[in-house]
């Protein structure tokens, strides 16, 4: 039986993880077995630069935290050497970065994840990773809005120029 101090320490870890998960936009669970130190360092740096928290927590503690947050289905995915990447703001960032390593390193695998209150399997996380970034989506949206307005303004300008052209042509011979 663990001592009260160890039990309290574990409860604090679970409570902190629950707070992280509840306040996040998305999270991805990976099996990191077989990743080299060099690749792991590069992975952690990329995640940190994207504002993603990446941590290795015991599977039982991660499972408890997921159950408390309503992601109990993820508990079945917590086998072996797993880590969790959690993003507070950008829902796509952890999936994009981890998908890159999933494709590059054979033993590194995306296991599951969550986004917008729903549990995702590995394919769902990879599909999430294929979504363009928020900035790209905004640019595409603005471009699609701007294009018809630009065409309409151009048409009005050409009509106005056609209406002005005959008046200038008739006025020019009168002055001569």
């Amino acid at each position: 039986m663990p001592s009260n101090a160890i039990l309290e320490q574990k409860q604090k870890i679970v409570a902190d993880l629950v707070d992280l998960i509840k306040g996040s936009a998305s999270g991805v669970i990976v099996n990191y077995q077989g990743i080299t130190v060099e690749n792991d360092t590069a992975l952690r740096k990329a995640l940190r630069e994207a504002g993603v928290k990446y941590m290795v927590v015991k599977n039982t503690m991660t499972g408890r935290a997921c159950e408390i947050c309503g992601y109990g289905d993820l508990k079945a995915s917590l086998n072996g050497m797993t880590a969790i990447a959690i993003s507070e703001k950008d829902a796509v960032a952890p999936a994009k970065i981890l998908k890159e390593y999933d494709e590059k390193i054979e033993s590194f695998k995306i296991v599951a994840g969550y986004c917008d209150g729903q549990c995702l399997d590995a394919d769902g996380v990879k599909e999430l990773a294929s979504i363009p970034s928020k900035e790209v989506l905004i640019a595409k949206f603005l471009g699609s809005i701007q294009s018809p307005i630009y065409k309409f303004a151009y048409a009005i300008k050409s009509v106005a120029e056609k209406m002005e052209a005959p008046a200038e042509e008739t006025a020019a011979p009168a002055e001569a």
Side-chain angles (χ1 to χ4, degrees):
M1 185 95 189
S3 70
N4 285 338
I6 293 172
L7 194 59
E8 287 174 12
Q9 188 179 29
K10 289 181 179 183
Q11 288 172 343
K12 181 171 176 9
I13 291 170
V14 170
D16 290 344
L17 191 55
V18 166
D19 290 341
L20 274 173
I21 292 172
K22 283 185 177 178
S24 67
S26 71
V28 177
I29 298 172
V30 296
N31 184 326
Y32 66 91
Q33 185 171 356
I35 190 170
T36 64
V37 173
E38 181 182 336
N39 285 332
D40 187 53
T41 304
L43 169 68
R44 288 175 184 268
K45 181 181 179 200
L47 289 168
R48 193 172 37 254
E49 288 173 353
V52 178
K53 293 183 179 170
Y54 180 77
M55 62 197 86
V56 175
V57 181
K58 285 189 172 188
N59 290 338
T60 54
M61 291 184 209
T62 304
R64 281 200 185 114
C66 288
E67 280 182 340
I68 292 169
C69 294
Y71 298 121
D73 294 345
L74 295 179
K75 196 172 181 179
S77 303
L78 297 169
N79 299 316
M81 298 173 62
T82 60
I84 187 166
I86 300 172
S87 176
E88 293 179 4
K89 296 178 183 171
D90 189 356
V92 181
K96 273 191 180 303
I97 295 168
L98 294 171
K99 182 183 176 200
E100 179 184 324
Y101 282 85
D102 179 70
E103 292 170 349
K104 187 166 61 170
I105 302 167
E106 190 173 324
S107 61
F108 186 89
K109 296 288 177 219
I110 292 176
V111 178
Y114 65 89
C115 184
D116 289 333
Q118 294 186 341
C119 293
L120 305 171
D121 61 356
D123 293 332
V125 173
K126 290 175 184 176
E127 192 174 313
L128 178 67
S130 67
I131 295 173
S133 69
K134 183 178 178 181
E135 292 78 19
V136 171
L137 288 174
I138 290 171
K140 285 183 178 183
F141 176 70
L142 291 176
S144 66
I145 289 175
Q146 185 179 11
S147 179
I149 294 171
Y150 175 76
K151 289 177 183 176
F152 179 69
Y154 186 75
I156 289 176
K157 181 181 175 191
S158 64
V159 169
E161 287 175 352
K162 284 182 183 179
M163 293 178 78
E164 289 178 3
E168 291 177 3
E169 289 175 8
T170 56
E175 290 178 8

